[in-house]
């Protein structure tokens, strides 16, 4: 009986460790209180249009190489590059979640990657959509499963 | 490379009625 109890406890510990229940906050961020800061000046947009290029699984030393004339324009102020490293377990959907919402990838995300639906409660996409920004998207259709109704135009591959 | 997607991205660059464009490529 004791062995059975230990076995059951170890099974529970295993599933709790590798497949934890998601603790994603169920709330959206609120705008900063207008009585504290001059938010219209502090958060005034610097640019009118933004192009976000996500290149999955690309070595950063290729991008920064002097032999890459197009990407070297980044260093001339026409854009900025950011290297995002996501720890294993990692497939496309948890990578997108980590990038857009700051979620920490879990093992269960690998299973959910195949049947991912709109699950995020707050993200950069939600914030931009709620600010009446028109977002167009081209690329991996995992984005379309995560954000099925947030894009002005889109094409998934 | 999906040339249809590339063509549509080039169209978007000309149309400019959007505020944010997201492109996701596989390196």
């Amino acid at each position: 009986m004791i062995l059975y109890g230990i076995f059951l406890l170890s099974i529970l510990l295993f599933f709790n460790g590798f497949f934890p229940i998601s603790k994603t906050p169920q709330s959206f961020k609120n705008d900063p209180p207008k009585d504290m800061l001059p938010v219209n000046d502090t958060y005034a947009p610097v640019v009118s249009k933004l192009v976000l290029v996500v290149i999955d699984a690309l070595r950063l030393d290729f991008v920064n190489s002097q032999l890459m004339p197009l990407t070297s324009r980044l260093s001339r102020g026409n854009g900025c590059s950011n290297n995002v490293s996501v720890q294993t377990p990692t497939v496309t959907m948890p990578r997108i979640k980590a990038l857009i919402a700051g979620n920490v990838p879990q093992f269960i995300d690998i299973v959910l990657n195949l049947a991912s639906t709109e699950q995020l409660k707050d993200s950069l996409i939600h914030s931009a959509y709620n600010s009446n920004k028109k977002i167009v998207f081209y690329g991996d259709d995992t984005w379309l499963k995560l954000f099925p109704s947030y894009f002005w135009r889109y094409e998934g591959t | 490379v999906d040339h249809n997607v590339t063509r549509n991205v080039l169209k978007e660059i000309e149309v400019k009625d959007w505020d944010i464009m997201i492109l996701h490529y596989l390196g």
Side-chain angles (χ1 to χ4, degrees), chain A residues 24-42:
Chain A
T24 305
Q26 301 293 309
S27 61
F28 285 86
K29 74 159 186 58
N30 293 318
D31 288 332
K34 294 188 176 177
D35 54 335
M36 289 179 66
L37 291 169
V39 288
N40 291 332
D41 299 332
T42 308

Side-chain angles (χ1 to χ4, degrees), chain B residues 2 5 10-11 13 15 20 24 27:
Chain B
D2 188 329
V5 171
L10 292 174
K11 277 184 202 167
I13 292 172
V15 172
I20 300 172
H24 185 149

